Amino acid sequence: MSPDDYCQQKTAQSGSSFYYSFLFLPPERRRAITALYAFCREVDDTVDECTDESIARIKLAWWRKEISSMYAGTQTHPVTQALAPHLQPYNLKEEHLQAIIDGMEMDLNQTRYLDFAALNKYCWHVASVVGILSASIFGVTNPQTLQFAEKLGLAFQLTNIIRDVGEDARKGRIYLPINELQQFNVTAADILNARHTDKFEQLMAFQIARAQTVYDEAFALLPKEDRRAQRPGLMMAAIYRTLLTEVEADGYHVLQHRISLTPIRKLWLAWKTYVRG
């Protein structure tokens, strides 16, 4: 299996909404974004699938060295072998890839966030940076496009947090800010014990409204000249915003089950966005 094949398999197996937007890219950019996404999956799985925290930290430390080795031209992992040829053409910075690993390490260091400012910092590391790197691969002529990508990454992560409240709680994690739980009189015990109440619904309505606002703020930052190049991000946004609508329609029942869209529906939303241009 070639490094590119390894990354393709890793990305396809994830079932992520992002995969469907990659299908519309030219081959070279598709290989680059697939390698980037495979890297994100590797380091994310290191934390999520490793039951021994000390082992997870050792693996993340290995990835830090491997990223540095990649920029020195001595990479050994299939993902870094696939990613290495794209570093210079798309101006992918080491500091951004290392920042993603920092975000994964944050999950080992804390399971609660005091307020939105603290959560925003976490989101920057695990999502906004990915947005910046992705936009660079899609094509940027106006620097403001990177601001769009950074904000869009935040919107995606807020959507993930909303969708995964129950799943994260079963891992002992609560990403909803503590002061916002207090504002709506929802306790951490309510979340951890999957107690669905009217107050929880109000809390989730607030979370969704903020995420939708962040999407609108992101779109307002996208320069007209880069809109076509950034269509993959717009496709992902169409899928993710539809997911938020589904959470609302389901009555915010995210504590008991994970709401998702079918692959056919994701592909249809991506196609509609692509055709719209």
Side-chain angles (χ1 to χ4, degrees):
M1 184 185 294
S2 71
D4 283 333
D5 289 340
Y6 177 93
C7 293
Q8 174 66 25
Q9 187 178 77
K10 186 81 176 177
T11 303
Q13 285 177 344
S14 72
S16 170
S17 302
F18 294 88
Y19 174 73
Y20 297 90
S21 66
F22 300 167
L23 299 174
F24 296 86
L25 284 167
E28 197 62 20
R29 294 185 192 275
R30 187 166 66 244
R31 282 193 288 271
I33 193 65
T34 301
L36 173 64
Y37 187 78
F39 162 71
C40 294
R41 288 259 44 96
E42 290 283 354
V43 293
D44 190 40
D45 290 347
T46 292
V47 173
D48 281 348
E49 296 180 1
C50 190
T51 55
D52 188 325
E53 182 184 314
S54 62
I55 298 296
R57 291 186 187 278
I58 290 169
K59 288 184 175 181
L60 288 180
W62 184 90
W63 273 107
R64 288 189 190 281
K65 291 179 181 177
E66 178 67 4
I67 292 301
S68 296
S69 295
M70 178 176 64
Y71 280 87
T74 57
Q75 63 276 358
T76 60
H77 194 280
V79 166
T80 45
Q81 289 172 347
L83 188 57
H86 307 293
L87 300 179
Q88 189 171 355
Y90 301 120
N91 192 28
L92 307 181
K93 294 181 170 60
E94 179 180 355
E95 64 197 67
H96 284 151
L97 293 171
Q98 296 287 5
I100 295 170
I101 298 174
D102 290 340
M104 302 307 166
E105 195 162 34
M106 289 174 73
D107 273 329
L108 298 176
N109 296 334
Q110 62 186 107
T111 57
R112 305 284 191 278
Y113 292 87
L114 179 61
D115 52 27
F116 186 70
L119 179 63
N120 197 3
K121 180 182 178 183
Y122 168 77
C123 291
W124 185 86
H125 281 280
V126 300
S128 293
V129 170
V130 179
I132 293 168
L133 289 164
S134 299
S136 299
I137 292 171
F138 300 151
V140 173
T141 60
N142 186 329
Q144 186 175 308
T145 298
L146 297 180
Q147 297 176 36
F148 150 77
E150 185 175 3
K151 180 76 76 169
L152 190 62
L154 171 61
F156 289 153
Q157 190 61 25
L158 294 179
T159 304
N160 284 338
I161 288 169
I162 290 165
R163 177 195 63 194
D164 296 339
V165 171
E167 190 174 297
D168 290 330
R170 287 186 284 277
K171 298 174 185 174
R173 299 176 188 165
I174 300 176
Y175 291 101
L176 304 175
I178 292 171
N179 67 339
E180 293 174 8
L181 294 181
Q182 294 171 338
Q183 178 184 340
F184 288 92
N185 294 314
V186 175
T187 66
D190 290 335
I191 304 290
L192 295 173
N193 294 306
R195 284 197 286 264
H196 184 99
T197 64
D198 290 343
K199 292 174 182 177
F200 177 76
E201 290 183 9
Q202 293 166 17
L203 170 66
M204 296 311 297
F206 172 81
Q207 301 296 324
I208 288 177
R210 177 168 56 204
Q212 295 285 20
T213 297
V214 175
Y215 279 110
D216 291 338
E217 291 171 352
F219 293 159
L221 289 168
L222 178 58
K224 186 177 180 181
E225 60 267 31
D226 281 344
R227 181 178 174 85
R228 284 184 67 83
Q230 296 298 319
R231 279 186 297 185
L234 300 177
M235 293 180 211
M236 293 182 239
I239 294 169
Y240 266 51
R241 294 191 93 167
T242 301
L243 185 62
L244 290 179
T245 302
E246 288 297 314
V247 171
E248 287 181 307
D250 192 57
Y252 313 101
H253 285 92
V254 291
L255 290 171
Q256 291 83 11
H257 61 267
R258 189 176 192 263
I259 294 170
S260 60
L261 307 181
T262 64
I264 289 295
R265 193 172 181 193
K266 291 176 183 178
L267 190 59
W268 171 242
L269 289 166
W271 172 249
K272 279 205 306 182
T273 306
Y274 180 82
V275 171
R276 199 175 297 140

